Amino acid sequence: MANPQPPTITATSGGAGDEHHSWFAALDKDIRRFESDSKVPEGLCWLISAPEESIAPWYNELMKAWKKAPPNTLEDATVLVFDALHEVHPNVIDITHLEGCLRFYGLPQYYPLVKNRLRERVENATFFPFRLNTLPVIKNRVKDAGNFTVSVAVKDLRLLPSDTQSMICERREALRKGDGSRASELLKQINSSRDYEIVKSTWNEELVTKKYQIRLRGIAPPEIAQDYGPEARDELRKMIGGKCLTISVFYIDVHRRCVADAYCENTFVQVCSSVGCVLTYKCITANL
């Protein structure tokens, strides 16, 4: 299959009657096409790296739900997509498929806009983990012994939001023209976003990266404001600071954190983090 560029779709606040606006018109068109010839969008297959035969059941469920009650809002459309995937995969949901489908249509991710309506479904579902290979972790982005931020290189800029793409292109043009002031201003705007930033690699090349907030799964270390919180955080900083991690994400919580397992140099971080917290606690209490 060729690699078509996914359409650039900008979500609007329009309702179901606003058929000329992006998300409703695009979703309606694809569902009608599926009903007539059982074809699914090639762009979506490419975006989530899934074959047509695995996506077709989603559109069958979307078509049935759409006929019963077309969505009136972005929130309704997001819930409709989630329910369609949940019908096809009642026990296991690949989160990359869910997020890819939502992004393809310019719909908001299921957090935090629809967290109340989806909380029960999300908590009762088992998510198939997807893997992130990070750039070296910046020490001061380790907030406490269970939460930190990582960066992952973006391999295809077409997957970025349209406004971020525009700023990157404008910045490159400013650099080409020697307009350092404008380029610096755009760099600041890009890097101030929650999700994306441009960084320098070890070989002095600029990389566009996506930031992920990580919450280590299965442990409950002290928070930074609690007793021994700073010491526990410092243990984790020593362990992962400046190193690349392999992250297995199981699901996204309502705070937009990736609840995940982390591996550093083939070592399971949660085990070492828990041991480090216990040892720190013992050393401190032994000196009291």
Side-chain angles (χ1 to χ4, degrees), residues 270-285:
Q270 277 98 308
V271 172
C272 292
S273 178
S274 298
V275 170
C277 290
V278 170
L279 291 177
T280 300
Y281 175 80
K282 288 182 177 178
C283 288
I284 292 172
T285 54

Side-chain angles (χ1 to χ4, degrees), residues 88-99:
V88 178
H89 309 288
N91 298 318
V92 179
I93 297 174
D94 187 328
I95 196 171
T96 58
H97 289 173
L98 174 60
E99 293 190 332

Side-chain angles (χ1 to χ4, degrees), residues 32-101:
R32 291 177 185 277
R33 180 190 177 193
F34 179 81
E35 185 177 17
S36 65
D37 59 17
S38 300
K39 294 290 186 181
V40 301
E42 285 190 351
L44 179 59
C45 297
W46 172 83
L47 181 62
I48 65 174
S49 301
E52 291 186 18
E53 55 267 25
S54 69
I55 297 177
W58 306 352
Y59 279 84
N60 189 49
E61 294 299 330
L62 281 171
M63 181 179 64
K64 290 189 290 186
W66 192 273
K67 287 182 177 180
K68 290 181 181 178
N72 291 311
T73 65
L74 288 168
E75 180 179 332
D76 290 340
T78 298
V79 173
L80 184 141
V81 170
F82 182 93
D83 284 345
L85 268 66
H86 201 227
E87 283 293 323
V88 178
H89 309 288
N91 298 318
V92 179
I93 297 174
D94 187 328
I95 196 171
T96 58
H97 289 173
L98 174 60
E99 293 190 332
C101 190

Side-chain angles (χ1 to χ4, degrees), residues 157 164-174 186 190:
L157 298 186
T164 305
Q165 288 185 45
S166 298
M167 286 192 287
I168 290 173
C169 291
E170 185 180 349
R171 181 172 182 273
R172 288 177 175 175
E173 182 65 15
L186 287 165
I190 295 168

Side-chain angles (χ1 to χ4, degrees), residues 135 151-154 195-199 207-211:
L135 297 171
S151 294
V152 176
V154 175
D195 295 318
Y196 299 97
E197 68 178 345
I198 295 176
V199 300
L207 292 176
V208 179
T209 67
K210 179 171 173 55
K211 294 179 282 189

Side-chain angles (χ1 to χ4, degrees), residues 27-227:
L27 194 51
D28 180 63
K29 176 183 176 182
D30 288 341
I31 289 173
R32 291 177 185 277
R33 180 190 177 193
F34 179 81
E35 185 177 17
S36 65
D37 59 17
S38 300
K39 294 290 186 181
V40 301
E42 285 190 351
L44 179 59
C45 297
W46 172 83
L47 181 62
I48 65 174
S49 301
E52 291 186 18
E53 55 267 25
S54 69
I55 297 177
W58 306 352
Y59 279 84
N60 189 49
E61 294 299 330
L62 281 171
M63 181 179 64
K64 290 189 290 186
W66 192 273
K67 287 182 177 180
K68 290 181 181 178
N72 291 311
T73 65
L74 288 168
E75 180 179 332
D76 290 340
T78 298
V79 173
L80 184 141
V81 170
F82 182 93
D83 284 345
L85 268 66
H86 201 227
E87 283 293 323
V88 178
H89 309 288
N91 298 318
V92 179
I93 297 174
D94 187 328
I95 196 171
T96 58
H97 289 173
L98 174 60
E99 293 190 332
C101 190
L102 294 175
R103 170 160 290 184
F104 184 75
Y105 289 109
L107 298 172
Q109 302 300 302
Y110 61 90
Y111 52 81
L113 181 63
V114 294
K115 63 183 181 181
N116 291 329
R117 293 184 64 177
L118 291 183
R119 182 175 290 134
E120 182 179 346
R121 297 181 180 89
V122 170
E123 289 177 352
N124 291 336
T126 301
F127 287 89
F128 182 80
F130 69 93
R131 181 161 292 184
L132 303 173
N133 294 308
T134 78
L135 297 171
V137 176
I138 299 172
K139 281 190 175 183
N140 64 12
R141 291 189 174 177
V142 178
K143 298 178 181 178
D144 58 39
N147 294 278
F148 53 92
T149 301
V150 299
S151 294
V152 176
V154 175
K155 296 181 180 179
D156 191 333
L157 298 186
R158 292 176 298 181
L159 299 181
L160 297 174
S162 57
D163 57 341
T164 305
Q165 288 185 45
S166 298
M167 286 192 287
I168 290 173
C169 291
E170 185 180 349
R171 181 172 182 273
R172 288 177 175 175
E173 182 65 15
L175 289 172
R176 189 185 68 81
K177 293 180 178 179
D179 189 350
S181 176
R182 179 57 180 161
S184 296
E185 180 184 340
L186 287 165
L187 179 63
K188 186 179 295 185
Q189 289 181 37
I190 295 168
N191 288 358
S192 64
S193 75
R194 178 190 174 100
D195 295 318
Y196 299 97
E197 68 178 345
I198 295 176
V199 300
K200 287 278 189 180
S201 69
T202 52
W203 52 92
N204 207 35
E205 179 183 349
E206 284 194 347
L207 292 176
V208 179
T209 67
K210 179 171 173 55
K211 294 179 282 189
Y212 292 88
Q213 313 294 323
I214 305 299
R215 170 66 181 176
L216 291 178
R217 187 175 73 107
I219 64 172
E223 297 181 6
I224 198 66
Q226 295 177 326
D227 290 343

